[in-house]
Amino acid sequence: MRYGTWLSLSAVLATIGCLLLISAGNSQFGTPKSYVALQSTSPGTSQSGHANISGTLTANNLVGGGAGVTALSASNLVSGTVNDGRLSSNVALKNATNTFTSTNLFNGTTRFLGSFVPFGPRTTQIGTNEIIGLSTNVASWGGMFISTPIGGLPYYGYNNGNFEAYTYLDANGKLRFVVGSDTSIGITPAGRLGIGTITPLFKFDAQGSDPFDPTVRIASGTLSVPEVGYRQAAFVSSSGSGYCVGIYSRANSSSPSGSGASYGIIGLANSTTSSNFGVYGQGGQTSGNVNYAGYFNGLLNANELTAIFKEFRIDHPLDPEDKYLIHSCVESDERMNLYRGVVRTDMRGYATVLVPAWFSALNIDIQYQLTIVDEHNTEDFVICKVVKKLDNGEFVLRTSSPNVEVDWQVSGSRNDASARFRPFVVEQTKNKSERGKYEDPEAFGLSDGMAIVPRFSPNSTKN
C-alpha cells in the first residue's frame, strides 16, 4: 500500500509538469504564448518574451536602458544610478557638480524657489530664508531675486578669473556696486547716489582718490581731455561750431525782493597759505580775435578791484562802426573823490556853493580848486578865493569883481566805514608765495613762468 501510494504521487507530479509545459507553449484555446525563462548564466542568452509577475520583483541590474518600462515611480529608486533617464535629448544632463550642460530653455511660468546651493568659499546657509528665485507671475516676487534673513547680505557677483564685480545690500540698507576691492557706486535708502563713496552727502556725490584726475568729466563736441598738472574736481568742455557753452548756470529766485537771493555760480577761495582764486578766467587777443577772460553783460558789483590797468572802452563817437575809444582811469595814492560845478558871483562878488548832505560824512581832507572864466577877455584880471570853508553842506567863495563865472572843484579822501575798515596801503610787501615773481613779467622782459598768476596752459595731454 505504501509503495502504491508513492507511485500514485509521482504520477500526479509528472502529470502537473506536463500540463505546465503544455500551458507554457499554448493558451487555453491553443494560441501560442511566449514567456521568458530563467537562466543559470549571467547575462544569459537574450530572449524575446514577456514577464508577468505579481508580487515583489528584486533585480540587481536592468540591462538595455529600461526600454518598455512604464509607470515607474522615481521615489521607489532608493539606490543605484540611471545612466540616462531623460525623456528626450532636449532635457539637459546634470553632472556630479550640479552643473547643467547643453542649452536650457525655460518657457512659460517658471519659478525656482528653494534650498541654498553651496558654491564658493561659504558652503553653509545663513538661515532657512536664504533663497534665490526666478519668477514672472508670483505676486510677491518679480524677475530674479536674492533674499537672506536679517543679518545676511544679499549678494550677486561676477568673476571671469582675472576680475570680479558684485553687488550686495549691506546691513545699513545701502546698495553697493563693487569692482575688485573698491566700492565704485553706493546708493542709500534716502536716494543719494555716490560714486567712489558709499556715504554720499548729496543726491549725487562723486569722489576721487587721484588729485590730478578729474572726478567728473563732461564733454560735448570734439573729444577734449583734462589738463595734466592741475587738481580738477570736474572737467567741462564744449567745442564745435556755433555757440558752445561749457557751463550754463541760471538763478531765478522766487522770493520777494530783499528776502532771498540766487546765485548762478559761487566761487570760494579760503586758503591761508597761498594765493587762491574763487573764479579764474583767462583770455587775450590771438590771431586778431579777442578772447575775454570774463564778460559781464550787466551790473558788476565788487568789494575790491585790483588791476594793472583800469580803462573804459566805447564805440568811437566819430566812427562807431570801425573804432573804439579808450580812456584810462585817474590813478591816485589815496581813495579820492572829486566833485565839480559852476557858480556865478553876485554884485558884491560872493557866491555860496552847495554840496550834498552826505559830502562831509563821506570825505575828509577837503581841498578846493577855483578857476575864473572870462569869455569876454576884459582888461581886468580877476582873482577868486574861498572865504568860508565847507560847513553844513556849503562853502562860500569871493571874486575881486562882481558877476563873475567860477568853475569850482572840491576833492576829498574817503572816510566811510568800509574805507576805515579796509585802510588803503600804498606800499605793500609781497607775501612769501609771491616774492621773486611779478604781476607783469613780460614788462620786465621775463617769461610767463615768473608771473605770480601764470597763464593757464596745458603742459601735456593724456588719453
Side-chain angles (χ1 to χ4, degrees):
M1 258 327 265
R2 188 172 300 173
Y3 177 78
T5 302
W6 283 107
L7 180 61
S8 300
L9 180 58
S10 298
V12 170
L13 292 175
T15 302
I16 293 174
C18 291
L19 292 175
L20 288 175
L21 291 175
I22 294 172
S23 63
N26 298 280
S27 67
Q28 183 178 1
F29 301 100
T31 302
K33 288 186 177 180
S34 176
Y35 291 96
V36 177
L38 299 179
Q39 302 181 45
S40 60
T41 60
S42 177
T45 302
S46 176
Q47 301 179 64
S48 296
H50 305 277
N52 188 353
I53 301 172
S54 61
T56 301
L57 172 63
T58 301
N60 291 332
N61 295 283
L62 288 178
V63 197
V69 178
T70 60
L72 177 62
S73 175
S75 61
N76 294 325
L77 298 177
V78 295
S79 64
T81 59
V82 178
N83 291 335
D84 191 349
R86 296 180 294 171
L87 299 179
S88 71
S89 59
N90 294 327
V91 179
L93 289 174
K94 186 176 71 172
N95 60 20
T97 59
N98 295 323
T99 302
F100 284 97
T101 60
S102 185
T103 301
N104 304 289
L105 178 63
F106 299 95
N107 191 9
T109 303
T110 306
R111 182 184 182 189
F112 294 93
L113 180 63
S115 62
F116 171 78
V117 179
F119 184 78
R122 184 167 67 84
T123 58
T124 57
Q125 189 173 4
I126 292 179
T128 57
N129 294 328
E130 185 176 23
I131 54 177
I132 178 171
L134 179 63
S135 174
T136 57
N137 294 322
V138 180
S140 59
W141 302 99
M144 186 179 69
F145 61 89
I146 300 175
S147 176
T148 64
I150 297 176
L153 301 177
Y155 170 100
Y156 187 77
Y158 315 84
N159 191 315
N160 68 354
N162 296 321
F163 304 98
E164 66 176 358
Y166 57 92
T167 63
Y168 72 97
L169 190 66
D170 67 13
N172 297 318
K174 298 174 183 176
L175 180 62
R176 300 192 187 188
F177 297 79
V178 181
V179 178
S181 59
D182 297 327
T183 297
S184 302
I185 301 176
I187 304 176
T188 68
R192 293 176 177 175
L193 172 63
I195 298 180
T197 175
I198 61 171
T199 57
L201 301 178
F202 310 96
K203 290 297 182 182
F204 177 78
D205 190 353
Q207 299 181 19
S209 58
D210 187 349
F212 297 105
D213 187 16
T215 302
V216 178
R217 183 178 80 166
I218 304 174
S220 65
T222 303
L223 180 62
S224 299
V225 295
E227 312 300 347
V228 175
Y230 299 93
R231 297 175 180 262
Q232 304 164 71
F235 178 84
V236 180
S237 174
S238 177
S239 59
S241 60
Y243 290 98
C244 297
V245 179
I247 297 178
Y248 182 91
S249 177
R250 186 173 184 176
N252 291 321
S253 176
S254 59
S255 302
S257 177
S259 64
S262 297
Y263 305 90
I265 296 177
I266 294 180
L268 301 176
N270 297 323
S271 175
T272 58
T273 59
S274 61
S275 298
N276 293 271
F277 309 92
V279 177
Y280 177 90
Q282 179 175 303
Q285 189 162 346
T286 57
S287 303
N289 297 318
V290 177
N291 301 284
Y292 296 99
Y295 187 89
F296 301 89
N297 185 10
L299 300 177
L300 175 63
N301 190 329
N303 289 339
E304 293 187 46
L305 178 63
T306 302
I308 296 177
F309 299 110
K310 295 178 288 295
E311 303 170 341
F312 84 74
R313 187 184 72 176
I314 62 173
D315 295 321
H316 199 293
L318 301 180
D319 191 0
E321 292 185 359
D322 298 323
K323 293 182 180 179
Y324 289 114
L325 184 64
I326 301 173
H327 277 25
S328 176
C329 297
V330 176
E331 310 291 344
S332 175
D333 61 351
E334 60 179 325
R335 295 186 178 117
M336 182 182 293
N337 293 320
L338 297 176
Y339 307 88
R340 64 190 182 92
V342 179
V343 69
R344 183 176 291 276
T345 58
D346 58 14
M347 295 303 296
R348 299 182 304 146
Y350 289 91
T352 300
V353 178
L354 302 178
V355 295
W358 43 258
F359 187 94
S360 297
L362 178 62
N363 297 281
I364 58 174
D365 300 332
I366 307 301
Q367 294 182 353
Y368 308 87
Q369 299 291 331
L370 305 174
T371 302
I372 301 297
V373 178
D374 182 11
E375 59 182 348
H376 299 294
N377 194 19
T378 60
E379 294 296 330
D380 297 332
F381 278 86
V382 181
I383 59 174
C384 182
K385 61 181 179 180
V386 175
V387 295
K388 183 181 178 182
K389 289 185 177 182
L390 184 66
D391 185 33
N392 292 327
E394 64 181 34
F395 69 92
V396 179
L397 58 84
R398 179 184 177 185
T399 57
S400 59
S401 296
N403 197 27
V404 175
E405 181 179 328
V406 180
D407 292 347
W408 62 267
Q409 179 176 288
V410 178
S411 62
S413 182
R414 280 183 58 179
N415 190 42
D416 58 281
S418 296
R420 293 194 301 270
F421 182 74
R422 300 177 180 85
F424 185 72
V425 180
V426 177
E427 292 183 298
Q428 300 181 20
T429 301
K430 294 180 179 180
N431 61 43
K432 185 177 180 180
S433 64
E434 297 173 341
R435 292 176 189 173
K437 299 180 180 180
Y438 298 80
E439 285 278 9
D440 189 8
E442 293 179 337
F444 295 87
L446 302 174
S447 66
D448 183 67
M450 298 297 296
I452 294 175
V453 183
R455 293 183 177 88
F456 181 89
S457 58
N459 49 28
S460 64
T461 59
K462 67 178 181 179
N463 295 323

